């Protein structure tokens, strides 16, 4: 009897030690969109990424079959001057946080587009998250 | 009517007359003493010379950006596309001019491909380093190359992001932040087009 209890506790502990959230659990993506762009050029993906789960996570980077590579970047402004830089450390996304990828701020930059992006097109983007792993998002061009 | 009410009415009338007689009110930032926009000659994306002063009579929107810029420059180009569409019958009285700040990568062909995504009528300008440098200087355009060796971007160009507006007499009149609303830009353009 006692052994059964110990086993149950061990099982519970094992469950707790395992990653708490399966991929995408509690992560909500809203309004993923891209701008038109020429074939071979650079593109962009914006969205709101909400963490409605109970576990913190971190957006590290992304990839897409629509292009050769994807990087997380951030634009900042200083008066009328703008600058852009890769965000190599990713962005923390605590429980309840919303990461807004938007013009003039964080964004996913697409390199080497395999074909032109025209209004109405859709492209898949696979977000890479530190804890939850991968999450595929469909972005609409507009 | 009491004396006080009469005074109030007179004051309101005076204010109304004052407003009606005042100069245009613009939504963009105005230059206090509009001066002639510095003339220049560069090459457009089709390889033809573009001399600014030959475009007098039109309102010109001028922006300095580059094709590898995925975020800020397309904001302005998208706004321009909306502005041009909504100006409808006045659209041909306005020219949209995009000068590269990245001549190293922005060939004329690349500028053509990039701008065509937004509107075929947009004018993309490039040129020799010397010619471009004198334009940057004349319009006080900041540009700075920042390398990121581990990124696919290679380098980015920090740059001035305001758009400039030149009136039909060739004077530099207004500037707007890159993320201004199309409605605000259209309102000011219409004022400039309708000015006697």
């Amino acid at each position: 009897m006692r052994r059964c209890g110990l086993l149950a506790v061990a099982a519970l502990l094992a469950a707790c030690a395992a990653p708490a959230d399966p991929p995408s659990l509690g992560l909500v993506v809203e309004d993923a969109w891209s701008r038109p762009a020429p074939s071979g050029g650079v593109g962009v993906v914006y969205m709101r990424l909400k963490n409605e789960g109970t576990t913190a996570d971190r957006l590290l980077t992304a990839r897409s079959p629509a292009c050769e590579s994807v990087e997380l970047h951030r634009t900042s402004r200083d008066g009328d001057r703008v600058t852009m830089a890769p965000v190599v450390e990713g962005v923390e996304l605590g429980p309840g946080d919303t990461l807004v990828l938007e013009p003039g701020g964080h964004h996913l930059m697409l390199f080497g587009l395999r074909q032109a992006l025209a209004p109405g097109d859709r492209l898949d983007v696979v977000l890479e998250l530190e804890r939850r792993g991968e999450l595929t998002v469909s972005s609409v061009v507009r | 009517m009491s004396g006080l009410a009469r005074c109030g009415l007179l004051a309101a009338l005076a204010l109304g007359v004052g407003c009606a007689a005042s100069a245009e009110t613009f939504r963009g930032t105005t230059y206090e003493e509009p001066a002639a926009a510095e003339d220049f000659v560069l090459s457009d994306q089709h390889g033809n010379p573009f001399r600014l002063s030959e475009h007098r009579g039109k309102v010109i929107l001028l922006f300095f950006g580059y094709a590898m810029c995925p975020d800020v420059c397309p904001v302005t180009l998208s706004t321009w596309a909306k502005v041009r569409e909504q100006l409808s019958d006045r659209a041909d009285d306005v020219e949209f001019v995009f000068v590269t700040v990245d001549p190293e990568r922005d060939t004329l062909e690349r500028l053509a491909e990039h701008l065509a995504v937004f509107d075929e009528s947009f004018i993309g300008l490039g040129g020799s380093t010397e010619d471009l440098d004198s334009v940057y200087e004349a319009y006080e355009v900041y540009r700075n190359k920042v390398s990121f060796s581990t990124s696919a971007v290679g380098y980015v160009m920090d740059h001035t992001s305001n758009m400039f507006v030149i009136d039909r007499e060739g004077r530099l009149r207004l500037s707007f932040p890159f993320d201004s609303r199309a409605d605000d830009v259209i309102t000011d353009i219409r004022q400039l087009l309708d000015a006697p």
Side-chain angles (χ1 to χ4, degrees):
Chain A
M1 188 66 181
R2 182 177 289 173
R3 193 174 297 146
C4 281
L6 277 174
L7 279 173
V9 169
L12 194 64
L13 285 174
C16 289
D21 293 339
S24 86
L25 186 71
L27 277 190
V28 178
V29 173
E30 292 177 346
D31 196 26
W33 64 283
S34 298
R35 289 192 189 281
S39 174
V42 295
V44 72
V45 178
Y46 303 114
M47 70 185 74
R48 284 190 302 279
L49 182 60
K50 291 178 162 180
N51 184 358
E52 295 182 352
T54 54
T55 316
D57 213 328
R58 178 176 287 271
L59 175 62
L60 298 173
T61 184
R63 58 188 164 80
S64 170
C67 62
E68 289 171 11
S69 62
V70 181
E71 293 179 14
L72 179 61
H73 284 199
R74 183 182 188 191
T75 297
S76 347
R77 59 204 289 181
D78 176 12
D80 69 341
R81 297 176 179 182
V82 288
T83 184
M84 187 177 78
V87 183
V88 290
E89 71 280 10
V91 181
E92 179 77 15
L93 198 60
D97 284 356
T98 298
L99 171 61
V100 182
L101 306 183
E102 61 184 345
H106 284 101
H107 55 274
L108 293 172
M109 184 167 175
L110 314 178
F111 293 94
L113 287 167
R114 300 191 201 284
Q115 58 185 47
L117 301 179
D121 289 351
R122 282 195 166 272
L123 61 148
D124 281 348
V125 182
V126 184
L127 306 181
E128 294 181 17
L129 295 135
E130 193 172 60
R131 284 172 176 257
R132 290 174 175 84
E134 296 183 347
L135 173 62
T136 300
V137 174
S138 176
S139 177
V140 65
V141 181
R142 65 179 194 228
Chain B
M1 188 180 285
S2 72
L4 195 61
R6 194 173 297 140
C7 279
L9 190 60
L10 281 173
L13 277 171
L15 195 64
V17 169
C19 286
S22 69
E24 310 104 315
T25 306
F26 290 103
R27 298 184 181 181
T29 303
T30 54
Y31 287 86
E32 283 188 15
E33 294 176 12
E38 192 77 27
D39 198 16
F40 59 79
V41 184
L42 293 171
S43 295
D44 74 15
Q45 71 265 49
H46 309 296
N48 302 313
F50 177 98
R51 180 184 291 276
L52 181 71
S53 57
E54 288 177 357
H55 297 262
R56 289 236 172 104
K58 297 195 175 191
V59 168
I60 294 174
L61 302 190
L62 187 64
F63 182 78
F64 295 82
Y66 64 113
M68 256 318 240
C69 170
D71 186 37
V72 167
C73 304
V75 171
T76 298
L77 290 169
S78 299
T79 303
W80 281 7
K82 282 183 203 159
V83 168
R84 184 169 160 74
E85 186 184 354
Q86 290 174 34
L87 279 171
S88 59
D89 60 323
R90 307 299 302 270
D92 289 340
D93 295 329
V94 181
E95 287 192 340
F96 302 80
V97 180
F98 181 100
V99 181
T100 182
V101 293
D102 184 15
E104 199 176 320
R105 288 184 295 206
D106 282 349
T107 60
L108 296 181
E109 184 184 14
R110 185 169 195 171
L111 281 175
E113 285 174 2
H114 185 63
L115 295 177
V117 166
F118 298 90
D119 194 299
E120 293 276 1
S121 75
F122 291 172
I123 298 166
L125 299 182
S128 68
T129 306
E130 190 180 23
D131 288 345
L132 284 165
D133 280 345
S134 64
V135 177
Y136 305 144
E137 188 179 346
Y139 289 85
E140 298 180 351
V141 171
Y142 169 83
R143 61 187 279 278
N144 185 42
K145 181 177 173 178
V146 182
S147 294
F148 292 102
S149 57
T150 57
S151 164
V153 77
Y155 67 87
V156 301
M157 297 300 300
D158 295 351
H159 62 99
T160 296
S161 61
N162 280 0
M163 72 172 96
F164 302 98
V165 184
I166 298 169
D167 69 15
R168 295 162 72 194
E169 283 73 46
R171 294 174 301 178
L172 191 54
R173 294 293 298 275
L174 304 166
S175 70
F176 282 92
F178 74 90
D179 52 355
S180 294
R181 292 175 345 117
D183 283 355
D184 291 338
V185 180
I186 291 168
T187 300
D188 284 5
I189 289 174
R190 286 195 184 279
Q191 282 196 73
L192 292 176
L193 288 174
D194 293 339

